[in-house]
């Protein structure tokens, strides 16, 4: 992936993304022609709730927070997205305003793919249409898992589950693991539907149990199997 100083080769970059990698150069060309770079700085808004979509976004580098605002100044973080992830497809198809806002958590480079270019390719290529539907289905499945987690799992189980997601071996993960939190604990707490105080308390209890050591944004998990089996 390019760094902050590189000039972006949009066709080459699109061709390496999962959504577009099966397309020919002739199919990529009109998509690339309808794609623009968008650079935003840390804490800058990409769009606000109520803005109308004109396409969807793909993150080249950086990190974006999607969240619901609230009248009292708090927010509910829906997703934290990083490189190679896309967002905004479903709202684009619905032709409705964004129900959330998007904010850069760090300096970020995105590609904005125009709605018209996507619709033209969807009409011409059923395989691309299936891939886009599959991507949105994965996002829907993730949201359903979130609802299940918030409804059926305790606060501690949510935090442990979040830490376990960072293990490359998934459910087979054992031994020690260093986990670098991708963003602030406040944002992670909101993502897990917790208050920052509750997240800090659970980290403290896991530390007292000898399962983790917390050093800023770095979590040293001493035994992933024990962490997985632990029940606060």
């Amino acid at each position: 992936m390019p760094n902050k100083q590189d000039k972006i080769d949009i066709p080459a970059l699109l061709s390496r993304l999962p959504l577009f990698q099966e397309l020919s150069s002739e199919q990529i060309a009109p998509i690339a022609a309808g794609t623009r770079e968008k650079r935003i700085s840390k804490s800058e808004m990409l769009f606000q709730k109520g803005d109308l979509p004109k396409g969807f976004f793909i993150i080249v580098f950086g990190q974006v927070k999607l969240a619901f605002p609230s009248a009292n100044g708090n927010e509910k973080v829906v997703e934290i997205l990083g490189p190679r992830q896309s967002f905004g497809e479903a709202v684009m198809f619905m032709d409705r305003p964004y129900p959330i806002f998007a904010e850069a958590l760090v300096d970020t480079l995105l590609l904005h793919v125009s709605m018209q270019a996507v619709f033209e390719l969807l009409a011409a290529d059923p395989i691309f249409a299936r891939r886009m539907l599959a991507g949105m289905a994965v996002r829907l499945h993730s949201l359903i898992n979130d609802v299940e987690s918030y409804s059926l799992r305790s606060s501690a189980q949510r935090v442990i589950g979040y830490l376990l997601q960072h293990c490359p071996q998934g459910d087979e993960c054992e031994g020690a693991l260093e986990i670098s939190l991708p963003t602030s604990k406040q944002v992670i707490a909101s993502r897990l539907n917790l208050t920052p105080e509750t997240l800090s308390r659970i980290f403290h209890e896991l530390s007292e149990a000898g399962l983790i050591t917390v050093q800023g944004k770095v979590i040293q998990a001493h035994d992933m199997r024990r962490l997985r089996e632990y029940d606060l």
Side-chain angles (χ1 to χ4, degrees), residues 85-188:
Q85 292 186 282
S86 62
F87 59 97
E89 302 96 321
V91 180
M92 175 186 72
F93 283 115
M94 294 168 66
D95 196 24
R96 293 183 179 179
Y98 290 113
I100 55 177
F101 68 83
E103 177 186 350
L105 294 173
V106 297
D107 292 349
T108 298
L109 171 64
L110 306 107
L111 297 180
H112 180 261
V113 184
S114 77
M115 184 186 306
Q116 181 180 351
V118 172
F119 285 178
E120 289 175 357
L121 184 55
L122 287 171
D125 190 337
I127 294 176
F128 175 74
R130 287 198 297 270
R131 292 176 72 87
M132 179 157 274
L133 284 170
M136 289 191 290
V138 169
R139 184 74 51 80
L140 176 61
H141 184 68
S142 175
L143 292 174
I144 291 171
N145 285 343
D146 283 351
V147 173
E148 179 184 26
S149 174
Y150 301 153
S151 304
L152 302 178
R153 301 175 73 186
S154 69
S155 299
Q157 288 170 336
R158 274 178 256 163
V159 174
I160 291 172
Y162 177 79
L163 295 176
L164 291 172
Q165 288 175 11
H166 292 79
C167 183
Q169 289 79 37
D171 292 341
E172 304 299 320
C173 191
E174 296 189 5
L177 181 69
E178 180 176 288
I179 301 165
S180 295
L181 299 180
T183 186
S184 70
K185 293 173 186 174
Q186 182 174 356
V187 171
I188 291 170

Side-chain angles (χ1 to χ4, degrees), residues 189-208:
S190 179
R191 178 71 183 85
L192 297 175
N193 211 31
L194 304 172
T195 65
E197 293 77 16
T198 299
L199 179 63
S200 294
R201 175 181 58 79
I202 293 168
F203 277 159
H204 177 73
E205 292 177 2
L206 292 174
S207 297
E208 289 290 301

